[in-house]
Amino acid sequence: MKHLYLLAPILALMAIVGVYWLIKTNSRPIPRYDSPETEEDWSAEDYYKHLNVKPFGGREVHRLLIKRTKQKPGVYLESLEPAMDTAGLEVVNAFHQVMGDDYVPVITSGNDWPYHAKKSKHYANKAIDFRIKYIPFENRKEIVEKVQKQLEPRFRIIWERGEAEHLHVELAD
Ligand SMILES: [Zn+2]
């Protein structure tokens, strides 16, 4: 028991070696991470598939027209010719240019019985009417001119005057 005084330094030494060993085992190199190869031919179509979104089609254009306008109650636009959806959005654009981006045009007629002449294009889903009668005259004129410039001759643009004043837009033959 006379060498008992050596026990403390030996234990201390062992503790130091232990700590050193722990540090050593912790400093292993971080495993390398190889990212998967990026595909070079990443087309717009692949991107749409990835988003799970269909490319912009006719139904989306129609939905956009409905969203950008208000419709008088009872107005039927569900079977509208796709070309009329595009024309309608051009009309909305003309309203925005003259009245500001916040202006929401009102569609007062689509294919609605019995407000039109028997042979009217409204019954063929090829005509829509926009409300313009509450707009100041100068702006009304500007809107009609812009729409005519943009859509004629593919479409017929008629500024119907009188009591039920409106802007009639129909697909030309
Ligand atoms: Zn009309």
Side-chain angles (χ1 to χ4, degrees):
M1 293 295 272
K2 64 177 182 178
H3 297 301
L4 196 62
Y5 66 94
L6 283 174
L7 193 62
I10 287 167
L11 282 176
L13 198 68
M14 280 171 70
I16 289 165
V17 169
V19 167
Y20 175 75
W21 179 81
L22 277 174
I23 290 168
K24 195 74 184 155
T25 47
N26 254 333
S27 63
R28 284 165 309 189
I30 296 161
R32 244 185 77 189
Y33 173 73
D34 289 312
S35 61
E37 293 265 312
T38 32
E39 279 181 56
E40 292 300 319
D41 50 356
W42 178 235
S43 69
E45 205 183 321
D46 292 334
Y47 174 66
Y48 278 123
K49 269 187 208 152
H50 162 81
L51 284 180
N52 212 5
V53 167
K54 289 189 195 84
F56 217 65
R59 282 317 283 175
E60 279 74 18
V61 177
H62 180 70
R63 236 172 270 142
L64 193 60
L65 178 68
I66 299 303
K67 204 175 150 189
R68 293 277 185 269
T69 56
K70 275 185 199 154
Q71 299 86 38
K72 203 172 146 182
V75 167
Y76 179 76
L77 297 168
E78 275 316 293
S79 304
L80 203 60
E81 284 275 317
M84 288 306 301
D85 289 314
T86 312
L89 285 172
E90 286 291 354
V91 177
V92 171
N93 189 33
F95 271 99
H96 283 176
Q97 281 178 39
V98 177
M99 304 300 290
D101 288 340
D102 294 331
Y103 190 86
V104 182
V106 179
I107 295 177
T108 54
S109 188
N111 187 346
D112 326 299
W113 186 81
Y115 308 104
H116 311 284
K118 200 178 171 187
K119 286 190 172 173
S120 164
K121 292 224 172 155
H122 281 282
Y123 297 129
N125 300 299
K126 288 177 180 172
I128 48 177
D129 294 339
F130 283 86
R131 177 174 291 156
I132 49 170
K133 62 179 173 180
Y134 302 121
I135 293 171
F137 184 81
E138 269 313 303
N139 295 344
R140 232 180 298 173
K141 195 164 166 276
E142 208 186 329
I143 290 166
V144 174
E145 282 167 2
K146 274 185 190 298
V147 171
Q148 284 172 335
K149 197 177 162 216
Q150 198 63 35
L151 293 178
E152 281 177 343
R154 202 179 160 213
F155 297 87
R156 272 181 74 209
I157 314 301
I158 301 165
W159 182 357
E160 299 268 7
R161 310 292 186 103
E163 217 172 289
E165 184 175 338
H166 64 268
L167 177 64
H168 171 95
V169 179
E170 71 171 43
L171 187 61
D173 292 313

